[in-house]
Amino acid sequence: MSKLQLIATCPMGLEAVVARELKLLGYEDQMTENGRVTFTGDELAICRANLWLRTADRVLIKMGEFKATTFDELFEGTKALPWDQWIPEDGEFPAQGRSHKSQLSSVPACQGIVKKAMVEKMKERYHREWFPEDGARYVAEVSLLNDIATLTLDTTGPSLHKRGYRKLVTEAPLKETLAAAMILLSRWTPDRPLYDPFCGSGTIPVEAAMIGWNLAPGLRRSFPSEAWPAIGTQLWEDARNEAIDSVRDDTPLHIGGSDIDPSAIAVAEAAVKAAGLTGEIQLAVLPVAKARLTGDYGCVITNPPYGERIGDPEEVQRALRQLGALTAGSPSWSSFVLSPSKQMDHYFGRPAAKKRKLFNGRIECALHQYLGPLPPRNRKEDAL
């Protein structure tokens, strides 16, 4: 198999989480930059990363990188790359692009140059003047930053946050990738209770259950690179079998969620069913003021409404006060709250142990972390 440079793209602030996920998959040769983690892998790594990464958006093949201040440089640099090693004679290969702080600032023009260069490369390989482009899809992207062009092939297709279980959405839904990041950044483990009192469409409870059962988030969806001859069906089958064999659906879970909106709970219940988790997550139509935390050493992980997104400011303040009151009654619990509010410490009556900057869409937020005690260690386990 080939030694490839791969890129896992992600929202700003999640790079370290993605890097940790990749290390757990065995890919330790990596470099973290803003919005991406570049790592070394082979064709099987493409399959495994797409199936397993919970917090990344896409997995790209890095085809090449070079300086491009003129269209001639962009054309020649693109043509020199090994597109023909990946794209067959009938492949569909659209070109997309973006440019920031670069002399080549016209994105449509750059896309046109990249497409033309790819066609010329394909002509040399396949000895023909015209390509039907009626086969598998290979989306190329040129990204220009400070006059450096990075050329990639997208192996993922629709963003990895589209797991396949959420057919309906509520107003201002939380992305699955961000929900998974909140859980992975928390202290929660599957043996502890988890509760989301503003669960909306149920994304946090579902993502937590998938983590608890070690369900690969991409297992229920497809990827355009599954049809690429350069990867082959056997590697995808091997990666999927590995993911199926890794499921731990005998792990007992104690996950719950509630929301004041009955229609939101209906959407959440549909998502739970589609994810195959019926009976593992308890949902209820309930205002936060009437919610109760049961059990010890649990975790509240939640994304309460923002004035910018949903609800008026007075409703938001009231919801945050009620959230603070809910958690105050359970001192053994830890809370992880994603919010842009600067007054969260006031509502919780104590300073957060840590605040991590994250972005919910374009809204700058913080993951406010209020830590309770860790569960006591199991004496039987200590004796082993």
Side-chain angles (χ1 to χ4, degrees), residues 316-329:
V316 170
Q317 292 176 20
R318 182 163 56 251
L320 294 180
R321 283 197 298 270
Q322 292 169 344
L323 175 61
L326 170 67
T327 59

Side-chain angles (χ1 to χ4, degrees), residues 43 56 313 370:
E43 288 85 353
Y370 301 92

Side-chain angles (χ1 to χ4, degrees), residues 350-370:
R350 57 188 171 116
K354 187 176 182 181
K355 297 178 183 179
R356 186 185 183 111
K357 183 167 74 172
L358 297 175
F359 287 87
N360 190 355
R362 296 183 179 272
I363 302 173
E364 182 177 325
C365 300
L367 183 62
H368 304 261
Q369 304 178 39
Y370 301 92

Side-chain angles (χ1 to χ4, degrees), residues 185-187 333-337 344-346 348-357 366-374:
L185 287 167
S186 77
R187 285 182 165 186
W333 280 59
S334 297
S335 298
F336 303 86
V337 185
M344 194 64 65
D345 291 351
H346 167 72
F348 270 73
R350 57 188 171 116
K354 187 176 182 181
K355 297 178 183 179
R356 186 185 183 111
K357 183 167 74 172
L367 183 62
H368 304 261
Q369 304 178 39
Y370 301 92
L371 305 180
L374 290 171

Side-chain angles (χ1 to χ4, degrees), residues 240-261:
R240 288 188 179 276
N241 286 337
E242 176 197 23
I244 292 169
D245 291 342
S246 299
V247 174
R248 298 193 297 264
D249 56 4
D250 57 345
T251 301
L253 300 174
H254 308 282
I255 297 173
S258 58
D259 200 282
I260 195 172
D261 182 0

Side-chain angles (χ1 to χ4, degrees), residues 55 63 152 156 168 183 215 218 237 240 243 246 250 279 283 293 337 357 364 368 379:
T55 59
M63 299 295 293
T152 58
T156 300
L168 304 170
I183 297 161
L215 286 168
E237 184 177 343
R240 288 188 179 276
S246 299
D250 57 345
L283 299 171
L293 303 178
V337 185
K357 183 167 74 172
E364 182 177 325
H368 304 261
R379 292 182 179 179

